Amino acid sequence: MEFSVSKADLVRELTLSQGVVEKRTTIPILSNVLLEATEDRLLLTATDLELGIRTVCPARVKRPGAGTIPARKLLDYVRLLPDAELHVRFAENQWASLVCGRSRTRIAGMSRDSFPELPPMPEPLAELPAWVLSSMIAKTIYAISTEESRFTLSGALLIFREGAAAMVSTDGHRLALVEQREGLAELRAHYRALIPRKAMAEILKLAQEAGPEATVQFSGDENHLFFRFGERLLISRKLAGNFPDFERVLPREHPRSLLLDREEARAAIERVSQFSDERSHAIRLRLAAGELRMHSSLSDTGESEESLPVEYDGGDFEIGFNAHYLLDFLRVLDEQRVWLHFKDAQSAGELRPAGEDAGYTYRYIVMPMKI
Amino acid sequence: MSDARVVFHVDMDAFFVSVEELLDPSLKGKAVIVGGRPDQRGVVSAASYEARKFGVHSAMPLRTAYRLCPHAIFLEGRPRLYRRYSQKVYEVLCAFSPRVEMASVDEAYLDMTGTERLHGPPLRAAHLLHEAVRERTGLNCSIGIAASRLVAKVASDQAKPNGILWVLPGCEARWLGPLEVRKIPGVGRVTEQRLHALGIHKVGDLARFDEAFLEAHFGKWGLALAGKARGEDAGAWFDGEIGVAELPKSVGHEHTFDEDTTDQEKLEATLARLAEMVGRRLREHGLYARTVQLKLRDHCFRTITRTRRLDHATQIDMELIACGRDLFRRNWDGAPVRLLGLQASSLAPHPGQLDLLGAERARKWRQALSAADQVRDRFGEDAVSLAAGLRGSFRERVHETPVALPGKQPNGGKT
């Protein structure tokens, strides 16, 4: 195999595949990127067996063929080269020679024969704006469980319906649900699947790289999910198991509601949480007529209180929360104002953006702390 | 002098044996050993003074006791009965001081400070107390009187059986001096050996070393030891006020099988039973546990412990069982099991972060468990149990500290 590519093109595509390359090298070939030169392009493939990515960059191919090179080493080196054309040639013994200007390097590669085969993408089930998918991910990814024991919570549930899509995530303490209609009038697919967290993180990168006008084609087979952004394809294993029946835990009534300025609330909670317990991040919210007080105390360190004026006359009320849970939501919100809804100190509270936007619904359900 | 504290340590004499004698007077004056049959695995819970003459003492394996004293009468022991008598004793003690704390089923501390006008000077009060216990329960006790809990405890031990001993304030170090170091509560066999290695045999020897030396050899414990040698309530819960509970750091139960077993169903049922007992105690104390630890000892005496942090704090049996069972399945290699234990730690008086997905189920469990606890309060610990634990039910050993000792208010003085 022998080809030439632009250094900038190669760095861009290699960077996109880095998140997929296996970091722990239990199977050495998985640390490598598969390079395949055909006609006028170079295909790059990386996988950790859970996730696979295939990207393309234009190339002048002198001799078609395939080979693999350690992905990290290749990127680290190529990134340091001047912006010029890079010439790559694979020898019979799997060593790759790289020549760029006056720089010459040889890197030990491995045969493509032992590189895992990625499944082919079936006919697309749906096509939607890439920003819709990445917006749904950004609004749910933070609530995914990081506990290994809660396997079915280590991803988000993706639902496609007639003209709408939804994404739900939970870690057992809180739940984020976003339902999107805007931009999905054409959607006809009916589909449900669990996307692993790592795949969601890669989709965010691919959508960003693809730009605001791009679309994503979606498909699935028995075990895999496919997301195609132009010529770039992300393949993820489906998470097996059943996602909890989330509709059962959505609150139905809110006797107490108040409207807050997002930035004011965020800044106040950030300050108060400096004096909350390092592990639980517990803070107290005290509601009284016209005022929301937030309070934290740490026995040997100090205490802190914030007061926000609010429109509220639902009676005195106190509830505890993990400050980080509240901040996670306030930090991803686009809207200027946010609704807080409570029932009592033992029941889930709900946060929602305020606004007349009918294009999407965003609900964030958080269980309180008893402190 | 007059502002010195007055602490009584009341220790029942051969408690389990004495209760058995009350119900069967023919046992009186004989060698009686409570704990189980002589061929059973397990240890002596209590021995009559007659049996002690042959070298039998509590915590000794039953088989050893049998070798030393084959003619003894071996009894299984009846924890519920002893607890009932313990409660009777507690009620008598409460008439003497508002601050009574049962340290175990057969011993108690009383803070008698400031009761002189009511009960007279300490020796007279102790005499009245001794009489009252005898009259109301038919049982003998020994009483140690001192200005600290520690010295009171050592004194009651020296007063046994059926005696009263008052160590005058200011005389503690002189009185403790000639005693063996192991008489100090907290000095076990290991510490005793290490002290002997340093040439320390009597408490008085200890007092001659400076604190820095003891701290260098025994760490923080060394400092406490130095204080104890002077008769101070130094270290651990001896520091605490009588009648004011500190939060326990952990709650655990373990069970030694009569015969080593590989029967997985039986092992898991036992684990379920242990989890139930742990859950019961957590609820008694009003505590929530965040960490669960499994202890597994096999036939070769290899012991492993495995710990898991739960993603929310709990006091629900089923959640403890699920965690314990999972730890067991992941760590049991199939070797015959001698002992299983389950311990809950990272305890807090509040549940902290509440669970969203399991909230409804947890609420139902809480109701069911609170009903079960009420039944147990009235009819005993075995009155209700989970079906999962039925095959694992075993006789509660009599040396176990009962679920809740009177005199400690959960979270007393805090929050």
Side-chain angles (χ1 to χ4, degrees), chain A residues 147 150 172-175 244 248-249 279 325 346 367-371, chain B residues 288 290 308-312 350-357 359-360:
Chain A
E147 298 261 341
R150 307 193 86 163
H173 300 149
R174 51 173 167 175
L175 179 146
R248 203 172 41 81
V249 302
R279 270 177 115 142
Y325 288 180
Q346 285 81 44
M367 274 311 262
M369 300 187 75
K370 277 183 91 174
I371 40 178
Chain B
Y288 296 80
R290 191 74 198 268
R308 177 173 301 163
R309 193 167 167 79
L310 301 168
D311 81 342
H312 62 274
H350 305 289
Q353 178 63 51
L354 300 179
D355 192 27
L356 176 67
L357 302 172
E360 185 58 19

Side-chain angles (χ1 to χ4, degrees), chain B residues 10 47 63 87 98 128 171 226 255 273 305 329 340 350 400 403:
Chain B
V10 179
R63 285 169 188 155
Q87 182 64 30
L128 289 174
C171 301
H255 176 67
R273 181 79 190 104
T305 55
R329 287 182 184 168
L340 272 181
H350 305 289
E400 269 173 333
V403 170

Side-chain angles (χ1 to χ4, degrees), chain B residues 127-385:
Chain B
H127 178 69
L128 289 174
L129 177 62
H130 193 257
E131 292 285 290
V133 171
R134 163 108 208 145
E135 193 180 310
R136 297 273 299 280
T137 66
L139 297 167
N140 286 334
C141 63
S142 298
I143 303 173
I145 310 166
S148 70
R149 299 219 276 192
L150 176 104
V151 178
K153 184 171 168 66
V154 179
S156 74
D157 186 50
Q158 293 299 109
K160 275 187 175 306
N162 206 12
I164 298 173
L165 182 62
W166 182 15
V167 179
L168 290 166
C171 301
E172 291 89 354
R174 226 180 329 144
W175 179 73
L176 286 168
L179 298 178
E180 300 282 342
V181 280
R182 77 179 133 78
K183 291 285 179 192
I184 295 184
V187 175
R189 213 180 335 151
V190 177
T191 311
E192 185 187 17
Q193 281 169 4
R194 289 175 63 194
L195 288 168
H196 283 180
L198 293 168
I200 301 170
H201 293 269
K202 307 283 185 199
V203 180
D205 300 337
L206 203 50
R208 279 195 290 277
F209 285 89
D210 67 12
E211 292 193 351
F213 176 84
L214 290 171
E215 190 179 10
H217 276 80
F218 298 92
K220 277 214 175 98
W221 212 91
L223 281 182
L225 205 57
K228 285 175 181 194
R230 293 188 300 269
E232 294 162 10
D233 278 344
W237 62 272
F238 275 103
D239 275 341
E241 288 292 312
I242 292 172
V244 179
E246 288 182 12
L247 291 183
K249 298 234 172 358
S250 67
V251 169
H253 282 281
E254 51 186 56
H255 176 67
T256 306
F257 293 96
D258 286 335
E259 274 173 53
D260 300 338
T261 180
T262 55
D263 179 348
Q264 178 157 0
E265 205 184 313
K266 183 178 177 182
L267 286 162
E268 292 191 0
T270 302
L271 210 49
R273 181 79 190 104
L274 291 167
E276 250 189 307
M277 293 162 75
V278 170
R280 162 86 160 136
R281 278 181 59 188
L282 287 174
R283 294 189 298 277
E284 285 273 350
H285 288 290
L287 292 172
Y288 296 80
R290 191 74 198 268
T291 306
V292 173
Q293 185 186 64
L294 171 80
K295 180 172 170 187
L296 190 63
R297 177 173 296 154
D298 70 11
H299 63 302
C300 302
F301 260 87
R302 277 184 310 214
T303 307
I304 60 160
T305 55
R306 291 292 180 272
T307 303
R308 177 173 301 163
R309 193 167 167 79
L310 301 168
D311 81 342
H312 62 274
T314 188
Q315 51 174 211
I316 292 177
D317 301 351
M318 286 312 292
E319 297 181 351
L320 298 169
I321 290 173
C323 182
R325 189 163 46 202
D326 192 53
L327 283 171
F328 175 73
R329 287 182 184 168
R330 282 168 192 268
N331 292 292
W332 181 46
D333 59 4
V337 175
R338 180 186 169 86
L339 173 147
L340 272 181
L342 198 75
Q343 188 191 68
S345 55
S346 311
L347 307 180
H350 305 289
Q353 178 63 51
L354 300 179
D355 192 27
L356 176 67
L357 302 172
E360 185 58 19
R361 208 170 50 155
R363 194 182 57 79
K364 287 182 178 149
W365 269 114
R366 270 197 301 278
Q367 286 172 352
L369 290 169
S370 128
D373 287 345
Q374 283 172 24
V375 174
R376 287 174 181 141
D377 287 341
R378 286 189 59 188
F379 302 108
E381 292 307 304
D382 296 332
V384 209
S385 71

